[in-house]
Amino acid sequence: MKIRTIILSLIATLCLIGCSKDGSSSAKAKRSPENQAASATSSTNVVDLFIRFSATDGTPLEGKLSLPAGAQGPVPVVFRLHGAGPRTVDNAIQYRDAGGELRVYRYYDFFSHELARRGVAFFRISKRGCTSDSSGQPTIDRSVFSKATPSVLLDDYAKALGALRQRTEIDADRIVVLGSSEGTRLAPRLITRSPKGIVGLVLMGYQSVNFREIIVWQNTVGPWRNVQKLIPAAANGRLTRAEYDAAVKTNPMLAGVLNFGSLDTDGDGIVTREELSRINRPRLDAILKAVDQRNDDFLWQYLFNLSSAYLREDWSGEPTYVTLLKLGIPIAIFHGELDGTTSIEGVREAEKAFRAAGRTNLVVRAYPDADHDLNWTIEAASRGGPAPFQEAFDFVARLVGSR
């Protein structure tokens, strides 16, 4: 296996919760006419409504609102802002079961079902240019999606929020915004732009800085966080051959993810954090050059279908906490300390900024063994989800239940 392939497998570039999981299938809801919604029961505790609306530039958009089945009267709602890259209302994941049969798991069903148990609705949209095929997998119109810069996405989310507030099933005075990765960068801006009825903000996998800084971090510090997640013995910044062999003996699948011989470039039997950063430097240089030269074909292939226009728009922006400090509502950050995509250090900087400003509306929950997905798996979801998700959903329930 080539070093380039190994490193690409270690870096979750600007992504996302739930981009490569496996799972089980669920029923589909029917689409509706413009500004109308047709319903279909997708589980015993959720009724799904598809809502169509238009962006400011006329681009057709679609959202999915999942309501607690049997709800009496308007209910509170969580509005989810996606991670980077193409996203749909389902974020469907294909996998093969033990018998080899192809199945589909709709990642956002997990959110809707868990929130419904707490009496809360769940709303999300498909990004412009993103639809689903018959299997639930995303179909991307590159010519449309490539125009989805942060400011365009923000405007689309604002339109979605407006459509959500008009729904009679929803209590428009009890809205919680939940952002993941890219969404943690956009969510505070959305709330400052359109704050009416928003009572709280939840951030999972917090992106603390602009795109240039996060890309540099993902290609220098981040890869070792991923190694450390795979092999805890690497916590001291070095991994010996003996430690690697012991880890592979316990989990043979590691050998297919992390090739020690390819990473030990000097052949001394030890791979270090600095060595991995040097190996990854050509990739970082290639990405920075592609952004500078607007080489969108390269970025589309190697950086999660992103464009230079998307990246350059927030290439030198201020830290996310600057916008967070403008908000007076309760804010909670849920973040894994072994996240190799967005840094725990950025979370600590936000905490420090809030303390310096004398602000008390930020709560941080950091998880020592959690990754960017906060350890979400299909298996964990079948048991209600990992602790970070349960604690995030409980935080939401407390917020909306206090009104």
Side-chain angles (χ1 to χ4, degrees), residues 70-91:
Q72 301 296 315
V75 295
V77 63
V78 167
F79 179 22
R80 163 85 172 194
L81 274 58
H82 299 289
R87 303 285 168 169
T88 69
V89 295
D90 291 319
N91 269 8

Side-chain angles (χ1 to χ4, degrees), residues 19-67:
C19 64
S20 59
K21 305 300 182 188
D22 43 37
S24 57
S25 61
S26 62
K28 291 184 179 179
K30 298 178 181 179
R31 263 88 177 154
S32 63
E34 180 80 14
N35 293 323
Q36 300 295 320
S39 67
T41 302
S42 60
S43 77
T44 57
N45 74 331
V46 170
V47 174
D48 292 325
L49 310 175
F50 279 91
I51 302 169
R52 288 181 175 174
F53 57 99
S54 296
T56 299
D57 62 4
T59 300
L61 297 172
E62 184 176 66
K64 186 175 181 179
L65 175 62
S66 299
L67 298 164

Side-chain angles (χ1 to χ4, degrees), residues 107-127:
Y107 176 66
Y108 282 145
D109 281 356
F110 166 69
F111 287 76
S112 64
H113 298 167
E114 286 301 311
L115 287 167
R117 291 200 305 108
R118 295 163 171 85
V120 180
F122 181 63
F123 182 63
R124 62 282 194 196
I125 70 171
S126 293
K127 289 185 180 181

Side-chain angles (χ1 to χ4, degrees), residues 3-11 263 276 279-280 283:
I3 291 176
R4 181 184 184 85
T5 303
I6 296 169
I7 301 306
L8 283 172
S9 72
L10 288 174
I11 300 172
L263 298 179
L276 185 55
I279 292 171
N280 215 39
R283 180 177 190 272

Side-chain angles (χ1 to χ4, degrees), residues 57-386:
D57 62 4
T59 300
L61 297 172
E62 184 176 66
K64 186 175 181 179
L65 175 62
S66 299
L67 298 164
Q72 301 296 315
V75 295
V77 63
V78 167
F79 179 22
R80 163 85 172 194
L81 274 58
H82 299 289
R87 303 285 168 169
T88 69
V89 295
D90 291 319
N91 269 8
I93 306 150
Q94 285 187 338
Y95 78 107
R96 293 192 181 276
D97 63 18
E101 183 177 353
L102 188 65
R103 295 186 178 275
V104 174
Y105 185 94
R106 290 175 171 79
Y107 176 66
Y108 282 145
D109 281 356
F110 166 69
F111 287 76
S112 64
H113 298 167
E114 286 301 311
L115 287 167
R117 291 200 305 108
R118 295 163 171 85
V120 180
F122 181 63
F123 182 63
R124 62 282 194 196
I125 70 171
S126 293
K127 289 185 180 181
R128 56 172 57 213
C130 300
T131 56
S132 299
D133 62 21
S134 59
S135 72
Q137 289 296 289
T139 300
I140 310 165
D141 184 336
R142 180 175 173 180
S143 66
V144 177
F145 178 72
S146 292
K147 294 181 174 65
T149 62
S151 60
V152 170
L153 288 170
L154 185 62
D155 194 62
D156 290 351
Y157 283 133
K159 285 289 187 179
L161 187 55
L164 178 64
R165 288 185 174 120
Q166 294 175 13
R167 301 301 308 179
T168 58
E169 304 93 339
I170 294 303
D171 183 345
D173 290 324
R174 289 192 292 169
I175 300 172
V176 176
V177 176
L178 189 162
S180 170
S181 201
E182 170 197 89
T184 69
R185 186 83 170 155
L186 295 178
R189 295 170 58 189
L190 176 65
I191 297 172
T192 59
R193 172 174 171 170
S194 185
K196 181 175 170 50
I198 298 178
V199 298
L201 173 60
V202 174
L203 306 173
M204 305 180 80
Y206 172 68
Q207 183 186 329
S208 60
V209 292
N210 60 53
F211 289 142
R212 190 184 195 286
E213 291 181 60
I214 196 65
I215 287 173
V216 170
W217 187 89
Q218 287 172 347
N219 287 274
T220 52
V221 180
W224 195 261
R225 295 278 163 87
N226 292 325
V227 172
Q228 187 178 337
K229 173 62 180 174
L230 293 171
I231 306 177
N236 61 356
R238 62 199 302 272
L239 178 67
T240 67
R241 182 76 205 206
E243 291 169 337
Y244 172 84
D245 289 343
V248 169
K249 184 176 181 180
T250 301
N251 181 7
M253 292 181 64
L254 285 175
V257 177
L258 195 66
N259 186 310
F260 188 92
S262 296
L263 298 179
D264 183 16
T265 56
D266 59 9
D268 66 352
I270 300 173
V271 176
T272 66
R273 180 167 43 220
E274 294 75 19
E275 194 169 12
L276 185 55
S277 181
R278 287 195 299 273
I279 292 171
N280 215 39
R281 183 71 203 198
R283 180 177 190 272
L284 172 59
D285 291 341
I287 292 172
L288 296 178
K289 180 180 179 181
V291 175
D292 182 60
Q293 297 183 349
R294 294 176 171 81
N295 186 346
D296 287 335
D297 288 339
F298 178 91
L299 295 171
W300 184 265
Q301 182 176 358
Y302 293 109
L303 206 62
F304 207 59
N305 304 142
L306 300 179
S307 69
S308 59
Y310 168 90
L311 294 167
R312 290 171 69 92
E313 188 176 289
D314 189 20
W315 201 236
S316 58
E318 60 192 10
T320 306
Y321 71 72
V322 174
T323 309
L324 288 178
L325 284 169
K326 299 176 182 178
L327 306 180
I329 58 175
I331 304 167
I333 297 176
F334 299 84
H335 200 98
E337 294 186 4
L338 297 184
D339 187 334
T341 302
T342 56
S343 75
I344 186 63
E345 291 85 355
V347 177
R348 300 308 183 200
E349 288 172 1
E351 283 186 298
K352 182 179 178 180
F354 270 70
R355 285 195 300 268
R359 301 287 295 279
T360 60
N361 60 316
L362 173 65
V363 174
V364 169
R365 296 287 181 267
Y367 302 90
D369 188 45
D371 55 18
H372 192 56
D373 291 331
L374 292 166
N375 292 349
W376 190 92
T377 63
I378 293 294
E379 182 181 3
S382 70
R383 301 191 303 270

